[in-house]
Amino acid sequence: MKNITLGYAITGSFCTIKESVKALKTLSQYDIKILPILSEIVTRTDTRFGKAEDLIKEVEEICQNKIINSIAAAEPIGPKNLLDVLVVAPATGNTLAKNALGITDSAVTMAIKAHLRNNKPVVFGIATNDALGASAKNIGLLHNTKNIFFVPYKQDDPHSKNNSLICDFSLIPQTVEQALKGKQIQPLII
C-alpha cells in the first residue's frame, strides 16, 4: 500500500479510540497520505478515556494534517475526489445506522457520503454494544452495499455484553489493502 490518500474517521466509541489510534499509527508508517476526520462529538467530549484536545493533537501529529471535523469541511471529499479509501474506526452503531439509511448530519457521515459518490471503498471497523441487537439490521444492509467493507469482528464480551461486537483493529491495514482491490478480507467473523 503506497501512494494513496486514505481518510481515517473516528467516531464516539470512546473506549476503543486508543486501539483505533494504534492502527492509525501503523498506517502512518506506509508511504501514504492520511486525512483525519473526527466526529464533532469526539472533538469536543472529554471522557474517562481521555481529553478531546489531547486526541486531536495526537491524531494531527500522526497524520501530519489538520483534522476535518465539520460537514462543510468534509463535503469537498467527493467533488474534489480527495481519497482513495476511507476508514471509519471505531464505527459506532449510530454511524452505521445513519450510513445505512442515508442520513448525513456529521463530518463523518458527510465524508462517507461524499467519498462513496466516487465509487471508492469505505472500510468500517465496528465497535458497538448493540451490533447483534438494534444495529444488526443496519450492519446487514451495509454488508450488502457496494463499496462497503468491514474489518473482521467478533463478540468482545459475550457473557456480559451479548449484543456487542468489536473489530480487530490490528487488521485494518490488511482490510484496506483488500478493499482497494474490491475484496472483503476473510474470514470476516473471528
Side-chain angles (χ1 to χ4, degrees), residues 11-177:
T11 66
S13 175
F14 293 99
C15 62
T16 63
I17 288 176
K18 187 179 248 184
E19 288 299 310
S20 181
V21 171
K22 273 194 218 174
L24 178 60
K25 285 179 185 174
T26 299
L27 287 167
S28 73
Q29 295 170 6
Y30 289 85
D31 185 20
I32 62 175
K33 179 179 179 182
I34 303 174
L35 295 180
I37 305 152
L38 274 61
S39 72
E40 292 84 343
I41 296 297
V42 169
T43 61
R44 67 175 185 250
T45 306
D46 295 336
T47 71
R48 64 187 169 106
F49 301 104
K51 294 183 181 261
E53 181 181 319
D54 294 339
L55 176 64
I56 293 166
K57 186 184 291 185
E58 182 178 19
V59 167
E60 288 181 340
E61 188 175 301
I62 292 166
C63 297
Q64 296 296 300
N65 272 307
K66 289 285 190 192
I67 63 163
I68 294 170
N69 66 341
S70 72
I71 291 173
E75 187 275 335
I77 287 171
K80 292 186 177 181
N81 202 13
L82 296 178
L83 305 175
D84 295 296
V85 60
L86 173 60
V87 174
V88 183
T92 62
N94 186 44
T95 300
L96 294 164
K98 288 177 180 181
N99 189 254
L101 300 174
I103 298 169
T104 305
D105 66 352
S106 73
V108 174
T109 56
M110 174 53 82
I112 296 165
K113 175 184 176 180
H115 179 66
L116 282 172
R117 79 181 242 174
N118 295 320
N119 291 311
K120 293 183 179 177
V122 172
V123 172
F124 285 115
I126 292 176
T128 180
N129 287 331
D130 70 348
L132 297 176
S135 290
K137 63 183 169 227
N138 299 318
I139 293 168
L141 284 171
L142 291 170
H143 271 293
N144 200 33
T145 301
K146 183 180 176 186
N147 295 317
I148 299 290
F149 302 89
F150 286 86
V151 179
Y153 52 79
K154 64 181 177 180
Q155 284 183 279
D156 59 319
D157 186 356
H159 302 291
S160 298
K161 302 186 303 183
N162 59 338
N163 286 334
S164 183
L165 291 178
I166 189 167
C167 73
D168 182 340
F169 289 94
S170 71
L171 293 175
I172 289 175
Q174 297 94 314
T175 306
V176 168
E177 287 177 1

